[in-house]
Amino acid sequence: MAEEKRGEKREQKRSGKTGGDRVAAICTALRRAIIERALSPGDRLPEDSLGERFGVSRTIARSALGQLAAEGLVDLRRNRIAVVAVPSFEDARDIFDIRVDLERQVVRHLAGKLTEAQVKQLTAIVEAEHQARHGAEGISIRLATEFHVRLAEMTGKPVLIRYVTEICYRAGLSLAVFSRPHSSECAVNEHLELIEAIRTGPADKACALMDEHLEAVASRALLQSSGARSRDLMDILAPYTE
């Protein structure tokens, strides 16, 4: 343990990043790998492999896994074995039900109040979704998730932002378990309609449209279980450490 602490200090001095910065960077990379389906539910996440891939100590890798476990994206099992969480179908349905209620609050805070700059930011994400529609499916799912997270961030409400962000990523994990091909074209059209409805209001109309959108996502996606895959963790995470 003392040696790991000394190693962390050497890492911080060399990179200029604090342990918290490194934990945050690993969490961001793993969330993205999960939401893009590079990592599948049940995949093992050994501390030593993560430490090697991200160039950090096992202590920092362990802290990142603990953070993701608190968010519901990772399961910590006995003997410090960590795996990507595997939600049940009931969990997945509950996650979408809770997400509807949370995002309704987001819409109520923003309806009729979006600035032109905020509209441009949201439209840029939708444009990226449009450009990615013929690429890897996981990228479209990640961009769709970022759209909803960005909406929450625009409320300026820290507690709401935290819970919406967590529930959106857990929804993305659920889509990796119970899904048929993601309809990026539908997501693009629905997101454009949402931007306009939130921009113009009223809140009730915009909330109803958000409800319809999230229910459509659930009905399009939560249908079948994906097949198991066997891959090397170091190779999977290579694009996420650059």
Side-chain angles (χ1 to χ4, degrees), residues 92-168:
R93 186 61 255 184
D94 287 345
I95 285 167
F96 271 91
D97 288 342
I98 295 168
R99 183 177 175 181
V100 167
D101 289 335
L102 284 172
E103 296 214 50
R104 188 181 293 126
Q105 293 301 314
V106 170
V107 171
R108 289 197 179 282
H109 282 295
L110 295 178
K113 301 175 184 177
L114 285 180
T115 66
E116 287 303 315
Q118 289 173 328
V119 169
K120 288 181 179 179
Q121 290 176 35
L122 294 170
T123 303
I125 296 175
V126 178
E127 176 60 27
E129 288 184 77
H130 179 72
Q131 296 296 328
R133 68 193 187 283
H134 298 309
E137 182 183 2
I139 295 176
S140 293
I141 294 174
R142 190 252 303 167
L143 289 168
T145 300
E146 289 180 1
F147 174 86
H148 288 269
V149 170
R150 189 72 194 97
L151 271 176
E153 291 171 346
M154 288 176 178
T155 68
K157 304 284 186 181
V159 175
L160 186 58
I161 293 168
R162 173 187 172 186
Y163 286 112
V164 169
T165 299
E166 290 185 11
I167 206 70
C168 283

Side-chain angles (χ1 to χ4, degrees), residues 8 21 78 107 178 181 198 201:
E8 288 176 32
D21 292 335
R78 287 183 294 181
V107 171
F178 307 100
I198 296 171

Side-chain angles (χ1 to χ4, degrees), residues 174-185:
S174 297
L175 297 180
V177 182
F178 307 100
S179 66
R180 65 180 177 180
H182 174 70
S183 177
S184 55
E185 201 66 53

Side-chain angles (χ1 to χ4, degrees), residues 205-235:
K205 178 181 178 181
C207 283
L209 192 60
M210 177 65 83
D211 290 356
E212 291 175 11
H213 168 58
L214 294 178
E215 285 298 334
V217 172
S219 65
R220 286 196 297 262
L222 299 180
L223 295 175
Q224 63 188 35
S225 179
S226 60
R229 295 174 291 173
S230 177
R231 289 88 24 87
D232 180 75
L233 181 65
M234 298 291 281
D235 291 337

